[in-house]
């Protein structure tokens, strides 16, 4: 309940209460006046005075029960009820003063009640006035709220609203209109239109205003108005007259919408429609529109060319399907392409031969879908009459067949280019000479712009033939775009038109590479390493003598030694070892400069001679080689090389001493880097083992986790745990050289296959022993298939003669295989695996370790 409502209820209550009091007073007056007239009695009283001279009540004799009050004239006026008999008693019904007041009241009763009534009337009128004041205040508050809501509404809409006091003078306006002119409300009211809008715009506006004031009717106009930023905007304005009681225009209310963008879009649409009509009717192609309705095709429109070439008109085919127009057989052929475009929702191209009213013709059509909200609603077809072209193509094809056969099957390479160098045609032999993957790719090239032809000088020769019109021949060494290197014996011959200008050029090529190669190979093998292609030791020694001059100082030497070559040869075979050397050689070559001399010194060593190179640059080249090795893939071992360098700074220094310093530096670095090399080799072996045995990373980590937990339960030292950690990942290392078909075979193995499988502990032992990084776990690898009772392999060790870490791995490996399964074993549950371990305790497995594994490791 609001305060206004509550106050109103209270006021109504008091007004009604006062009216009731006034009415009761009037009734009391009338009743009292009648009683006074009928009940007057005369009695006697003696007047006594007390010691203070005050008049007190008394009595006339002991037997008298009545008293009478005398006024100053000694005439009785009113009869009072009896008081107690004792004189000077003021505790009775009346004291003398009270009796006096009451006497005054009785003498002036009418006047007193009239005064009371008048006062109540005055209060009543005051309440009425207060109520009116409250209502007025409430009305003002409501009016204020309405005004605020109206102002909020008007100032938060985009429509501009204002009113005019007369034809050329502003009243008030909303925020949108003020913002448009960039002025405040005080800057607008009572100002002339000429001040706000300028003379020209104001004149146009006033003309419309006069019409509204005169005709007293609403008008709508469109006016170009310059806003506060100086921009011309088109406004759609509605002017509505407000009439007074006499029917005269009191003021004009105006509203405006900015329709500049709308008008621009409408103009664009109109222009596009005009352009559309121009294009569709003046193009040389036949254009048709097809509506798609519920997967059905209905023609909508044809352009004039389509009507002319087909014999159909828009009026005849509009709203009809292809089947309705040309019959079921031909209509289905036409609809098949329409349906393909509908389903693929993309532009399709096709050719079709149609028998139409205008004759039999061949068409090439591009059909495009019009998609709205993901659905095809219309198809737009553009067809070109290719009948004559098809006839000429047929004749041309017949004439070309003979030439084509001769061109294609020629045993010499042939290329035809235009007078701008673009390849027009190329035969099979030339594609083979260039090493091109296909004719289509080769036809994309321009021989004048190909950098490899420019380097060989062939582009320049071709350009000369095109300019001069005279043939040129010769022999060039050429590296094709596809990397094929060959010596070409070439002849470039122009084809001239009737004006003697070159239109095409024929290039005839024969490969003389093999002849050249035979000559070069003899020379090459004399100075190069046959495996890596780098210079050999003999060539390097000769060149080192030639470089040992003051002009080449400072002269730096880098010596490198490949890490892990022996291990690669032992584990993966010498072929992989050779591949590792080749890869390292490529890395070194690519990391050096063109003027640097790189050679294979022998075995796993490489040497680099860097003329005019100080120690800083030599160090940078070493770092570049190391970084390239780090980024290389492990196939199967990641390339790694130890490097050392030294620099000859003074002419008197012996180059052999510099070589020795570089070699010593290399061996020192190899020793310092051994740990990193160890980690890289182990990582490569783990990867190779995982790929060979199909052991997932998660499974390998689980074996490792269980093995370490069991090792801790057995209180192994940190040193022993480190070996156990490595063994848990590489105990099956020997399998990397076992035939994958045997390792991954599904089902039972043959006796020969089992024999091969049982070799893997010994192979793993040999691999580990050949690597200082793995020698600590070699014995563990060899013994992980030995049994507690001595019936295992390969040596038949028994009991505690089996290394502890091998006994741990045997249990963990058996549990992993049982719970995860293998190529020839189905997986079983954890509980079943535990039973198998318990069954094998004392025969296959160390019983004490089995007990700890089950009750401490697996129980957690």
């Amino acid at each position: 309940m609001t305060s206004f409502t509550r106050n109103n209820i209270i006021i109504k209550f008091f007004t009604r209460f006062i009216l009731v009091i006034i009415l009761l007073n009037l009734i009391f007056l009338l009743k009292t006046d009648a009683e006074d007239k009928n009940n007057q009695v005369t009695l006697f009283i003696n007047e006594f005075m007390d010691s203070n001279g005050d008049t007190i009540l008394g009595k006339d004799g002991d037997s008298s029960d009545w008293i009478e009050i005398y006024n100053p004239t000694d005439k009785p006026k009113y009869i009072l009820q009896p008081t107690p008999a004792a004189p000077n008693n003021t505790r009775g019904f009346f004291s003398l003063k009270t009796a006096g007041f009451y006497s005054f009241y009785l003498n002036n009763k009418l006047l007193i009640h009239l005064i009371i009534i008048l006062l109540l009337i005055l209060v009543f009128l005051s309440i009425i006035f207060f109520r009116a004041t409250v209502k007025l205040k409430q009305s003002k508050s409501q009016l204020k709220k309405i005004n605020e809501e109206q102002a909020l509404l008007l100032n938060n809409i985009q429509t501009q609203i204002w009113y005019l006091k007369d034809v050329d003078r502003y009243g008030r306006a909303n925020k949108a209109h003020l913002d448009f002119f960039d002025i405040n409300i005080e800057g607008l009211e009572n100002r002339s239109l000429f001040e706000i809008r300028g003379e020209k715009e104001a004149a146009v506006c006033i003309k419309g205003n006069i019409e509204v004031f005169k005709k007293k009717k609403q008008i709508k106009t469109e006016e170009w108005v310059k806003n506060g930023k100086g921009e011309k905007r088109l406004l759609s304005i509605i002017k509505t007259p407000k009439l007074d009681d006499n029917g005269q225009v009191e003021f004009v209310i105006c509203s405006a919408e900015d329709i500049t963008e709308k008008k621009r879009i409408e103009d664009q649409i109109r222009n596009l429609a005009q352009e559309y009509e121009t294009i569709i009717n003046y193009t040389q192609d036949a254009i048709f529109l097809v509506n798609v309705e519920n997967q059905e095709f209905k023609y909508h429109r044809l352009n004039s060319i389509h009507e002319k070439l087909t014999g159909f008109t828009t009026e005849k085919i509009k709203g009809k399907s292809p089947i309705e127009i040309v019959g079921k057989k031909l209509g289905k052929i036409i609809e098949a392409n329409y349906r393909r475009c509908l389903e693929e929702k993309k532009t399709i191209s096709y050719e079709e031969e149609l028998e139409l009213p205008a004759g039999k013709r061949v068409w090439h059509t591009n059909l495009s879908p019009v998609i709205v909200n993901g659905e095809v609603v219309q198809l737009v077809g553009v067809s070109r009459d290719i009948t004559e072209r098809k006839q000429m193509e047929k004749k041309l094809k017949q004439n070309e067949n003979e030439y084509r056969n001769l061109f294609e099957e020629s045993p010499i390479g042939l290329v035809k280019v235009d007078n701008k160098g673009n390849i027009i045609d190329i035969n099979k032999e030339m594609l083979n000479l260039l090493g091109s993957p296909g004719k289509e790719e080769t036809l994309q090239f321009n021989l004048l712009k190909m950098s490899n032809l420019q380097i060989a000088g062939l582009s320049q020769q071709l350009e000369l033939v095109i300019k001069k019109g005279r043939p040129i021949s010769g022999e060039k060494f050429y590296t094709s775009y596809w990397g094929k290197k060959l010596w070409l014996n070439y002849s470039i011959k122009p084809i001239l038109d009737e004006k003697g200008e070159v239109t095409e050029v024929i290039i005839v090529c024969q490969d003389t590479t093999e002849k050249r190669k035979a000559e070069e190979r003899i020379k090459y093998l004399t100075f190069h390493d046959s495996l890596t292609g780098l210079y050999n030791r003999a060539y390097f020694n000769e060149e080192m003598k030639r470089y040992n001059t003051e002009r080449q100082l400072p002269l730096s030497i880098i010596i490198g030694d490949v890490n892990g070559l022996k291990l690669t040869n032992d584990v993966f075979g010498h072929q992989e070892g050779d591949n590792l050397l080749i890869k390292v050689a490529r890395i070194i070559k690519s990391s050096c400069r063109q003027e640097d001399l790189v050679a294979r010194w022998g075995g796993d060593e490489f040497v680099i001679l860097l003329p005019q190179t100080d120690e800083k640059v030599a160090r940078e080249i070493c770092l570049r080689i190391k970084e390239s090795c780090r980024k290389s893939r492990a196939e199967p071992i990641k390339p790694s090389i130890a490097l050392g360098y030294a620099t000859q700074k003074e002419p008197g220094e012996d180059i052999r001493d510099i070589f020795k310093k570089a070699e010593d530096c290399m061996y020192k670095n190899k020793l310092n880097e051994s740990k990193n090399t160890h980690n890289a080799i182990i990582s490569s072996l783990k990867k190779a083992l995982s790929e060979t045995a199909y052991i997932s990373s998660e499974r390998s980590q689980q074996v490792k986790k269980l093995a370490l937990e069991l090792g801790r339960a057995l209180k192994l030292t940190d040193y022993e745990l480190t070996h156990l950690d490595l063994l848990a990942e590489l105990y099956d290392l020997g399998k990397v050289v076992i035939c994958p078909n045997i390792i991954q075979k599904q089902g039972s193995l043959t006796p020969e296959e089992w024999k091969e499988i049982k070799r893997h502990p010994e192979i793993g032992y040999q691999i580990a022993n050949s690597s200082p990084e793995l020698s600590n776990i070699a014995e563990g690898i060899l013994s992980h298939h030995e049994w507690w009772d001595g019936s295992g392999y390969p040596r038949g060790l028994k009991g505690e003669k089996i290394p502890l870490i091998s006994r741990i791995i045997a249990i963990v490996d058996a549990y992993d295989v049982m719970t995860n399964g293998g190529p020839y074993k189905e997986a079983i549950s954890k509980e079943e695996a535990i039973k198998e371990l318990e069954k094998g305790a004392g025969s296959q497995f160390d019983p004490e370790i089995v007990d700890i594994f089950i009750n401490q490791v697996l129980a957690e």
Side-chain angles (χ1 to χ4, degrees):
M1 183 183 294
T2 64
S3 59
F4 284 124
T5 306
R6 187 166 55 252
N7 291 339
N8 200 24
I9 292 171
I10 294 170
I11 290 169
K12 285 183 179 181
F13 172 76
F14 275 105
T15 53
R16 291 173 182 172
F17 177 74
I18 291 170
L19 287 174
V20 171
I21 297 299
I22 293 171
L23 182 60
L24 290 174
N25 271 279
L26 290 174
I27 294 171
F28 180 75
L29 281 176
L30 294 175
K31 183 178 179 183
T32 303
D33 186 57
E35 289 176 351
D36 287 346
K37 290 179 181 180
N38 298 322
N39 298 307
Q40 291 189 4
V41 179
T42 302
L43 295 174
F44 297 97
I45 186 169
N46 294 323
E47 184 173 347
F48 295 91
M49 301 292 289
D50 63 9
S51 59
N52 294 323
D54 293 328
T55 305
I56 62 173
L57 294 177
K59 68 175 183 176
D60 186 13
D62 293 335
S63 60
S64 175
D65 293 326
W66 300 93
I67 61 173
E68 186 180 61
I69 294 177
Y70 280 83
N71 63 11
T73 58
D74 293 336
K75 295 181 180 179
K77 289 294 289 181
Y78 297 99
I79 305 299
L80 301 177
Q81 292 294 329
T83 63
N88 303 324
N89 185 359
T90 59
R91 293 178 298 171
F93 188 81
F94 285 107
S95 68
L96 189 58
K97 288 182 180 180
T98 304
F101 287 139
Y102 186 60
S103 174
F104 176 77
Y105 164 70
L106 292 177
N107 289 330
N108 300 283
K109 182 191 299 184
L110 181 60
L111 178 61
I112 289 171
H113 277 278
L114 287 174
I115 291 171
I116 290 172
I117 290 170
L118 289 174
L119 288 173
L120 291 173
I121 291 172
L122 182 61
V123 171
F124 175 76
L125 292 175
S126 298
I127 291 172
I128 296 299
F129 176 75
F130 176 74
R131 182 180 180 187
T133 304
V134 170
K135 285 187 175 180
L136 179 61
K137 184 178 180 181
Q138 184 179 13
S139 298
K140 287 182 178 179
S141 176
Q142 291 176 342
L143 181 60
K144 181 181 178 182
K145 183 177 179 182
I146 291 170
N147 289 337
E148 288 175 349
E149 290 175 349
Q150 290 176 342
L152 181 65
L153 179 64
L154 290 174
N155 289 323
N156 284 278
I157 60 175
Q158 296 299 316
T159 303
Q160 301 179 39
I161 299 175
W162 71 95
Y163 75 88
L164 301 169
K165 293 185 176 181
D166 50 44
V167 294
D168 64 348
R169 188 162 54 92
Y170 266 108
R172 295 180 69 84
N174 73 338
K175 187 175 182 300
H177 191 62
L178 296 172
D179 289 346
F180 182 81
F181 289 110
D182 197 19
I183 57 177
N184 55 36
I185 189 167
E186 290 77 12
L188 181 72
E189 191 169 7
N190 292 320
R191 289 181 67 180
S192 167
L193 291 175
F194 290 99
E195 295 180 66
I196 303 299
R197 298 179 60 173
E199 185 174 348
K200 188 174 180 180
E201 290 182 6
V204 174
C205 183
I206 289 171
K207 183 178 179 181
N209 297 343
I210 293 172
E211 184 179 354
V212 178
F213 275 92
K214 184 176 179 180
K215 294 184 179 180
K216 303 177 184 179
K217 291 183 178 180
Q218 183 186 79
I219 67 168
K220 296 181 180 179
T221 64
E222 290 184 2
E223 301 176 16
W224 284 98
V225 181
K226 187 181 292 184
N227 64 14
K229 297 178 182 178
E231 302 170 341
K232 283 266 190 173
R233 308 297 295 180
L234 182 62
L235 301 182
S236 174
I237 302 174
I238 300 175
K239 300 179 179 180
T240 306
K242 171 65 173 66
L243 305 181
D244 59 17
D245 295 338
N246 298 321
Q248 299 301 314
V249 177
E250 187 176 356
F251 52 84
V252 173
I253 301 171
C254 306
S255 63
E257 294 283 347
D258 188 337
I259 61 169
T260 310
E261 295 303 319
K262 178 183 176 183
K263 193 74 173 178
R264 182 182 62 80
I265 293 171
E266 289 176 350
D267 291 342
Q268 287 180 346
I269 292 172
R270 184 168 56 254
N271 293 336
L272 287 173
Q274 292 174 353
E275 291 175 4
Y276 164 76
E277 289 298 326
T278 301
I279 291 170
I280 198 170
N281 285 316
Y282 288 92
T283 182
Q284 295 303 307
D285 293 326
I287 299 176
F288 59 95
L289 304 178
V290 180
N291 290 337
V292 181
E293 302 171 359
N294 298 323
Q295 300 289 313
E296 295 184 356
F297 307 102
K298 304 289 184 179
Y299 285 104
H300 179 66
R301 184 178 178 184
L302 309 176
N303 72 341
S304 56
I305 295 296
H306 194 289
E307 292 179 343
K308 178 181 177 182
L309 294 178
T310 62
F312 293 122
T313 62
T314 297
E315 291 74 17
K316 182 177 179 181
I317 70 167
K318 189 170 184 178
K320 296 181 180 179
S321 69
I323 293 176
E324 292 175 309
I325 296 170
V326 298
K328 188 174 182 180
K329 183 177 180 181
L330 186 56
K332 283 189 174 181
I333 295 173
I334 295 172
E335 283 192 353
N337 289 313
Y338 294 176
R339 195 160 302 283
R340 180 160 67 94
C341 182
L342 172 64
E343 292 172 352
E344 295 180 6
K345 293 185 178 180
K346 64 180 182 181
T347 300
I348 64 169
S349 298
Y350 56 91
E351 291 183 3
E352 56 186 351
E353 186 174 348
L354 302 175
E355 183 76 45
L356 300 173
K360 187 176 182 179
R361 311 199 66 81
V362 181
W363 302 91
H364 179 273
T365 301
N366 287 320
L367 193 63
S368 301
V370 177
I371 301 174
V372 177
N373 296 327
E375 297 294 330
V376 178
V377 298
Q378 199 172 56
L379 302 178
V380 180
V382 180
S383 296
R384 179 164 292 180
D385 183 358
I386 58 171
T387 307
E388 293 182 4
R389 191 189 82 187
K390 282 292 183 181
Q391 292 171 350
M392 296 203 50
E393 285 175 355
K394 187 176 181 181
K395 292 180 182 179
L396 182 61
K397 191 172 182 180
Q398 292 172 350
N399 294 332
E400 285 182 343
N401 281 338
E402 293 181 6
Y403 166 77
R404 173 57 54 193
N405 290 333
L406 177 64
F407 183 86
E408 286 292 338
E409 302 303 326
S410 173
I412 59 176
L414 298 172
V415 181
K416 185 196 292 185
V417 299
D418 62 18
N419 57 12
K420 297 188 184 316
N422 298 308
I423 297 178
I424 300 172
D425 206 353
I426 185 169
N427 72 346
K428 294 177 183 177
E429 179 61 20
M430 195 65 201
L431 292 174
N432 182 52
L433 291 178
L434 298 177
S436 170
K439 186 172 183 177
E440 291 300 321
E441 182 177 344
T442 309
L443 291 175
Q444 306 299 317
F445 292 107
N446 183 300
L447 297 187
L448 294 178
K449 298 178 181 178
M450 290 184 71
S451 59
N452 48 347
L453 280 172
Q454 292 170 349
I455 293 170
L458 289 171
S459 290
Q460 295 85 336
Q461 298 287 68
L462 174 61
E463 187 174 12
L464 190 61
V465 170
I466 293 172
K467 286 181 178 179
K468 301 293 185 179
R470 293 194 296 269
I472 293 177
S473 61
E475 189 175 36
K476 292 279 187 182
F477 180 76
Y478 170 63
T479 302
S480 77
Y481 176 81
W482 298 273
K484 189 169 182 180
K485 301 177 185 294
L486 67 162
W487 280 92
L488 288 176
N489 186 308
Y490 64 88
S491 176
I492 306 175
K493 298 181 180 181
I495 299 175
L496 308 177
D497 62 10
E498 62 275 7
K499 296 180 182 179
E501 295 180 354
V502 176
T503 57
E504 295 178 354
V505 175
I506 292 288
I507 303 174
V508 181
C509 296
Q510 284 184 304
D511 184 4
T512 59
T513 307
E514 291 303 320
K515 176 185 174 183
R516 287 275 185 171
K517 277 184 178 180
E519 297 171 355
E520 292 291 331
R521 182 169 291 277
I522 297 172
K523 183 179 178 181
Y524 179 87
L525 291 176
T526 305
F527 300 111
H528 288 80
D529 174 57
S530 59
L531 176 65
T532 63
L534 299 178
Y535 289 113
N536 58 21
R537 185 169 182 166
Y539 181 83
F540 183 85
N541 284 330
E542 290 299 320
E543 287 298 297
M544 191 164 62
K545 295 175 185 177
R546 188 172 65 84
Y547 276 66
N548 191 17
T549 64
E550 186 174 351
R551 184 172 58 87
Q552 300 294 348
L553 298 181
L555 179 64
S556 294
I557 296 176
I558 298 175
I559 296 180
D561 186 277
V562 178
N563 295 316
L565 178 62
K566 184 178 184 304
L567 178 64
T568 304
N569 288 330
D570 291 344
V571 176
F572 302 105
H574 286 277
Q575 180 63 48
E576 288 298 336
D578 290 346
N579 290 338
L580 178 62
L581 288 172
I582 292 169
K583 181 177 286 189
V584 171
R586 288 174 182 169
I587 289 172
I588 294 173
K589 186 69 176 174
S590 64
S591 300
C592 292
R593 303 163 301 181
Q594 189 173 0
E595 62 269 22
D596 300 332
L597 191 152
V598 183
R600 184 183 177 194
W601 187 250
D604 54 2
E605 289 185 334
F606 294 85
V607 61
I608 308 168
L609 199 61
L610 303 106
Q612 299 178 2
T613 304
D614 58 18
E615 289 178 322
K616 181 181 178 182
V617 176
R619 181 175 181 274
E620 290 175 355
I621 292 173
C622 287
L623 292 174
R624 199 152 57 229
I625 294 170
K626 301 283 280 185
E627 180 64 15
S628 296
C629 287
R630 188 185 66 80
K631 291 181 178 178
S632 294
R633 295 176 58 188
E635 297 174 335
I637 297 294
K638 182 182 284 290
S640 173
I641 186 170
L643 297 169
Y645 63 91
T647 302
Q648 180 186 10
K649 302 174 183 177
E650 302 296 333
E653 293 180 277
D654 191 336
I655 190 68
R656 289 173 295 182
D657 292 338
I658 303 303
F659 189 95
K660 183 69 169 60
K661 287 180 183 179
E663 191 173 37
D664 292 342
C665 179
M666 180 268 293
Y667 284 122
K668 180 180 178 181
N669 290 335
K670 189 176 185 73
L671 183 63
N672 292 335
E673 296 168 1
S674 61
K675 184 175 181 180
N676 291 335
T677 303
H678 164 79
N679 292 336
I681 291 173
I682 290 175
S683 176
S684 298
L685 289 173
K686 288 177 185 177
K687 182 175 181 293
L689 179 59
S690 174
E691 292 173 352
T692 302
Y694 283 135
I695 299 173
S696 67
S697 175
E698 293 80 6
R699 186 171 171 184
S700 177
Q701 289 301 314
Q702 179 65 14
V703 170
K704 182 177 176 180
K705 176 176 175 292
L706 291 174
L708 290 176
E709 287 178 0
L710 182 53
R712 293 187 189 100
L714 292 169
K715 302 189 182 323
L716 266 62
T717 66
D718 290 343
Y719 180 75
E720 291 171 322
L721 287 173
T722 301
H723 291 166
L724 179 61
D725 179 67
L726 185 57
L727 179 63
E729 293 187 284
L730 296 175
Y731 62 90
D732 272 337
L733 178 60
K735 288 183 178 179
V736 297
V737 295
I738 302 295
C739 177
N741 292 335
I742 297 176
I743 295 174
Q744 298 157 15
K745 181 179 179 181
Q746 300 293 324
S748 301
L749 300 176
T750 65
E752 291 75 16
E753 290 170 340
W754 260 118
K755 185 177 180 181
E756 184 69 14
I757 282 286
K758 290 170 74 173
R759 287 181 58 238
H760 81 270
E762 296 176 82
I763 297 171
Y765 171 78
Q766 293 169 0
I767 294 171
N769 249 348
S770 67
S771 170
E773 296 85 3
L774 302 176
S775 60
N776 288 328
I777 64 167
E779 189 68 27
I781 293 174
L782 179 64
S783 306
H784 77 278
H785 276 295
E786 300 288 358
W787 281 34
W788 182 257
D789 62 4
S791 60
Y793 63 90
R795 294 180 293 172
L797 297 181
K798 183 177 181 180
E800 294 185 358
K801 290 183 179 181
I802 304 169
L804 178 58
I805 59 175
S806 298
R807 285 177 270 154
I808 292 171
I809 289 299
I811 294 170
V812 173
D813 177 52
Y815 177 77
D816 175 71
V817 171
M818 286 189 288
T819 54
N820 290 290
Y824 43 86
K825 285 187 179 181
E826 293 288 335
I828 61 177
S829 68
K830 176 181 177 180
E831 292 73 19
E832 291 173 317
I834 290 173
K835 288 180 180 179
E836 290 295 322
L837 289 176
E838 290 173 338
K839 188 186 298 183
S843 57
Q844 183 177 354
F845 309 117
D846 184 332
E848 183 179 348
I849 298 178
V850 168
D851 181 65
I852 293 173
F853 182 65
I854 294 172
N855 295 310
Q856 293 187 34
V857 177
L858 295 182
E860 292 182 358

